[in-house]
Amino acid sequence: MTITEGPSAPTEDNDLGGNDANGRMCIVTRESGSPDELIRFVAAPDGTVVPDLKRQLPGRGCWVKIDRALVDKAVAKKLFSRALKAEVTAPADLGAVVDRLLLAQLAGMMHMARKAGRFVSGSSKVDGAVRNGSAIAVFHAIAAAADGVRKIDQARKAWHLGMETEKEIPSFRVFTEAEMEELMGQNAFIHAAALAGQAGEGVVKRANLLERYRNGGQSRATGGAGRRKQ
């Protein structure tokens, strides 16, 4: 299948299978949703189905809800060919490919936030950021020692109780040691925090997307938004 190059019309105008104005409907559940609730897929020039996380690739696309199980189901039931109305090949590991791309996207946003001064690492810096209210989320390597995690959890709880927030600052554990080494390089961390500001919020948004993808469309990050009660 050849992807048609065209002018800068919105990609949604070329998408298939929807029952709303923009054609965004999950090809598995047949439920409509916003772009933030769905992953777009297109066919590469060689006919292979590829994810389009930024929703920028040209040509016709189709959508699947942000849920690893649904992507795997779409592959198993050969729903991409039906949705794209073309003979396309969906790799058996497409679900894992999306996971790696979401993880890489998160790591890239962390790098950007660090350059902007909105992402810090090291247990003492994270503890301080939590206690002074500048942290909007904390991150731990999956291999982080329980004692270090517990100390930062205590700081999260102290902030939550002291400031009477609705929920504790969210806590994520998403990177294995190998993933950390590959994606973060010299910026690898055991404990880190995203700080208030646009770049930090971008980190949290992408972390939640990854959590939702891995956990049936729901984020299982510990804690929540950390907003004060009204």
Side-chain angles (χ1 to χ4, degrees), residues 10-230:
T11 53
E12 291 86 358
D13 290 347
N14 294 323
D15 287 354
L16 301 172
N19 58 6
D20 67 355
N22 291 313
R24 301 187 193 100
M25 184 175 74
C26 176
I27 64 174
V28 180
T29 67
R30 313 302 293 176
E31 297 173 349
S32 296
S34 71
D36 288 339
E37 299 170 325
L38 300 160
I39 301 170
R40 185 174 187 261
F41 293 87
V42 300
D46 64 357
T48 301
V49 176
V50 295
D52 178 20
L53 298 185
K54 295 183 178 180
R55 304 186 290 276
Q56 294 177 342
L57 296 178
R60 289 180 168 180
C62 60
W63 303 79
V64 179
K65 280 192 171 183
I66 298 176
D67 183 338
R68 168 72 182 269
L70 294 179
V71 175
D72 290 340
K73 187 173 182 178
V75 173
K77 291 186 173 293
K78 304 184 186 302
L79 298 182
F80 289 105
S81 291
R82 184 188 308 169
L84 294 171
K85 300 187 185 302
E87 290 299 322
V88 298
T89 301
D93 66 343
L94 185 60
V97 169
V98 173
D99 188 283
R100 290 195 296 270
L101 289 174
L102 289 171
L103 194 64
Q105 190 178 70
L106 171 59
M109 193 66 221
M110 286 177 171
H111 286 306
M112 291 179 60
R114 187 185 294 274
K115 291 180 180 178
R118 299 292 88 193
F119 192 81
V120 297
S121 57
S123 58
S124 60
K125 289 183 178 179
V126 174
D127 186 275
V130 170
R131 293 182 185 277
N132 68 26
S134 61
I136 57 174
V138 300
F139 295 84
H140 306 289
I142 290 176
D147 185 57
V149 174
R150 183 173 63 253
K151 289 178 180 178
I152 293 172
D153 282 348
Q154 290 171 349
R156 291 169 55 235
K157 185 172 291 293
W159 173 258
H160 166 54
L161 296 175
M163 301 305 295
E164 296 186 342
T165 57
E166 293 179 2
K167 297 179 181 179
E168 294 178 13
I169 297 166
S171 176
F172 297 89
R173 300 186 75 163
V174 296
F175 291 99
T176 65
E177 185 175 354
E179 290 166 342
M180 188 76 72
E181 182 177 348
E182 176 186 356
L183 296 172
M184 302 301 294
Q186 64 181 5
N187 290 323
F189 60 82
I190 301 299
H191 309 287
L195 308 183
Q198 185 175 2
E201 290 168 2
V203 171
V204 179
K205 177 181 179 180
R206 285 159 181 79
N208 274 313
L209 285 175
L210 179 62
E211 284 286 297
R212 287 165 56 195
Y213 181 72
R214 290 177 170 178
N215 297 297
Q218 302 294 320
S219 178
R220 295 184 182 177
T222 306
R227 295 171 294 180
R228 295 190 183 188
K229 294 179 181 177
Q230 300 298 317

